[in-house]
Amino acid sequence: MSWPSPTDLADAPLWRNYVVAQCVQAALGELPRHVVAYGVSIDESEIELQFQLSEIVPDDRDSIDEIVDDLETLIGPHVNVAVTRKHVSQPNISPHDGIAWIFIAPPEHRGP
């Protein structure tokens, strides 16, 4: 199997879109219970998953680890995946922060 990479997009139209799509796929059914926002920042082969959580408990860490494992399987060996976890009460996002926000919890589903 041949995976797209920043220098060889293969059949992927854009590297950023490919990465975002794989991040969505990796998170299906795995988003941590206390997540209020989930996104990804992409710098060539450096990918950083961003999790903002109302609480950070062991089950949330396990869910994040599952997402990372799934993403690494989906995206192939050409990238480095890092994770940032932030404890917040409300999502802290901006269209100018360089992060592709994939999930933002609606107000009624946010933690305390």
Side-chain angles (χ1 to χ4, degrees), residues 10-61:
D11 293 327
L14 295 170
W15 176 244
R16 181 177 173 84
N17 287 352
Y18 177 76
V19 171
V20 170
Q22 298 311 316
C23 288
V24 169
Q25 182 65 39
L28 289 178
E30 292 291 344
L31 279 178
R33 178 174 181 217
H34 298 102
V35 70
V36 296
Y38 164 58
V40 60
S41 60
I42 304 160
D43 182 13
E44 295 289 330
S45 62
E46 300 298 321
I47 296 170
E48 186 171 0
L49 300 180
Q50 305 278 335
F51 291 90
Q52 295 180 6
L53 303 115
S54 60
E55 295 182 47
I56 302 175
V57 298
D59 285 346
D60 293 335
R61 287 189 176 99

